[in-house]
Amino acid sequence: MSVRPITIIGHRALEQRTRKVREITEDIRELVADMFETNDAADGAGLAAPQVGSRWRLFVYSCPDASDTLRRGVVINPRLERFGGLELDEETIEGCLSVPGEGFPTARHRGARVHGIDLDGEPVVVEDEGGVLARALQHEVDHLEGSLYIERLSPAHRREALDAVSARGWRSKGLLTWDPRLTSAEDV
C-alpha cells in the first residue's frame, strides 16, 4: 500500500467520466488499498478513483453517518439514489481534496443511497440521511461523472471558489497534484 498524489482542479482525470469495473483484479485491489491510505493521510471523508488519476468507477469513504457512527468502505460501480429535499445550509461547508484548503456551502439532497459491489464482488448498499456520509456519497459519485462540487455552488459561491483557486496559483505553478504525506490540504 502507498499514498498516491491527489489530483487538483484542472487535472484532466477530474473532468472525465469513469469506466465500469468489469473484473476485480489485483490491480483494483491495490488501487483501493492505496486509496484508503491516501484518504487517511489527507484526512478525507472520501476519495474517488479520478482523484488519484484512475478512470475506474469506484470510491472509498470513511466518515460519520447521521448517528455519528464512523462508516468505512468501498463501492465499485455505484448507482446513486438521492432522496429527501435539496438542502443548502450556509453553516455546512463542503470541501474536496481536489480543491484543497477550500470549502463552501453546497446544496445536496438530505439523503443518499448507493448500490454497487464490494471487493469480493458481492452486492453492497450504503445509505445515510442527514449525515456527512449522505453528502460524501453524492460528492464521490459526482467525481465519477467528471464533476466537481464547485459546479453545484450558487453563482456567488462559485465565483468565490474560482477566485480562491486562482489566488492559490496552482495552474501558474504547474501543480496538478499534491502529496498528503508532505503537506496538509490547507497548505497546498
Side-chain angles (χ1 to χ4, degrees):
M1 293 188 312
S2 63
V3 173
R4 295 188 183 198
I6 298 174
T7 57
I8 295 175
I9 184 173
H11 192 290
R12 184 177 168 175
L14 297 172
E15 300 167 357
Q16 300 174 337
R17 291 181 54 113
T18 52
R19 298 179 308 218
K20 185 175 182 177
V21 174
R22 303 255 181 236
E23 180 182 1
I24 300 172
T25 63
E26 283 309 309
D27 286 344
I28 294 293
R29 290 178 186 284
E30 182 179 327
L31 171 63
V32 169
D34 289 355
M35 287 174 62
F36 274 118
E37 193 162 328
T38 303
N39 189 59
D40 291 346
D43 197 27
L47 190 68
Q51 292 181 278
V52 293
S54 173
R55 297 259 332 267
W56 293 117
R57 189 167 184 80
L58 63 90
F59 68 86
V60 300
Y61 60 92
S62 182
C63 58
D65 61 15
S67 67
D68 209 29
T69 301
L70 179 65
R71 305 269 300 275
R72 186 173 170 91
V74 58
V75 182
I76 300 169
N77 300 329
R79 294 177 322 281
L80 175 67
E81 296 174 47
R82 296 174 183 94
F83 55 89
L86 195 60
E87 297 180 344
L88 177 60
D89 174 4
E90 291 291 324
E91 301 299 315
T92 303
I93 303 300
E94 186 168 322
C96 179
L97 295 176
S98 291
V99 188
E102 300 297 334
F104 298 92
T106 307
R108 293 283 184 191
H109 286 267
R110 179 164 175 74
R113 177 183 308 112
V114 292
H115 298 261
I117 59 173
D118 63 17
L119 279 176
D120 295 321
E122 296 298 320
V124 63
V125 178
V126 182
E127 179 177 336
D128 188 36
E129 184 173 2
V132 173
L133 180 58
R135 286 183 163 276
L137 296 174
Q138 295 170 75
H139 181 109
E140 301 311 328
V141 170
D142 278 354
H143 276 299
L144 302 179
E145 298 297 327
S147 178
L148 290 174
Y149 85 107
I150 288 176
E151 297 168 33
R152 294 193 175 273
L153 300 178
S154 69
H157 286 305
R158 185 177 305 121
R159 173 63 12 227
E160 188 180 345
L162 294 174
D163 288 347
V165 167
S166 291
R168 287 184 177 265
W170 295 321
R171 287 190 179 139
S172 64
K173 295 176 191 171
L175 287 177
L176 293 176
T177 63
W178 68 281
D179 189 334
R181 293 171 301 183
L182 304 176
T183 187
S184 72
E186 290 77 23
D187 296 330
V188 176

